[in-house]
Amino acid sequence: MADPNVLNPHPPEFERFLYASVGEDRNVYIVTVLSTLARLGLDPWKETAELVMLGHDAARARLGTLLSGFRDVPALASDFGRIARDLNQLLPEGPASGALQRAASTVADGRPGTSGAIWAVLAIIFVLFQMFMVGGSGSGE
């Protein structure tokens, strides 16, 4: 049976945290944690995995530091501490959970999963298809 996470290799436990709102930007769009981390130049899943591995107190402090430096959401300038505390509650439990710890360490280490092999096979198929299409057109005679 195929792995159900083949199309989404990221730990589903991170979704509640990553898709939570940090507030509205100047254009009145909702900004999520995922968007915030990406706009800060961080890999959202890797950063979340590292936050989970830190534990709640250290994660809350790290979140506060990250949010305090994020200028796209005006409300964060004065309220980053409360928002960091609220978001911290959405993080899955840390290293106590064996499955979550393995998922978090895999994301944090950046080891490619099976999705890399799937993309490689698809790329090879695409190249072969292109070769047959170009090669099958003849020399123009």
Side-chain angles (χ1 to χ4, degrees):
M1 181 170 196
D3 182 12
N5 293 326
V6 94
L7 296 177
N8 184 12
H10 303 295
E13 295 88 353
F14 292 179
E15 290 179 6
R16 196 172 77 149
F17 171 74
L18 285 171
Y19 295 114
S21 170
V22 298
E24 294 179 349
D25 66 8
R26 289 176 179 81
N27 297 322
V28 195
Y29 291 111
I30 299 293
V31 178
T32 63
V33 174
L34 188 144
S35 178
T36 301
L37 294 173
R39 290 182 193 187
L40 289 170
L42 301 169
D43 179 311
W45 290 274
K46 183 177 179 181
E47 188 65 32
T48 302
E50 290 173 3
L51 289 171
V52 168
M53 299 300 276
L54 286 175
H56 279 291
D57 292 335
R60 184 176 60 239
R62 171 88 175 132
L63 270 172
T65 302
L66 291 172
L67 294 176
S68 69
F70 187 66
R71 301 289 177 229
D72 291 357
V73 175
L76 285 177
S78 62
D79 214 10
F80 68 87
R82 182 192 60 81
I83 294 171
R85 185 183 66 242
D86 292 347
L87 290 173
N88 188 46
Q89 298 303 314
L90 299 176
L91 282 170
E93 287 302 315
S97 167
L100 181 59
Q101 183 178 12
R102 282 190 301 278
S105 65
T106 298
V107 171
D109 292 343
R111 291 191 309 238
T114 57
S115 65
I118 291 171
W119 285 112
V121 169
L122 289 174
I124 291 169
I125 291 170
F126 178 76
V127 168
L128 290 173
F129 177 76
Q130 290 296 319
M131 288 174 52
F132 286 125
M133 294 304 291
V134 172
S137 65
S139 62
E141 293 182 58

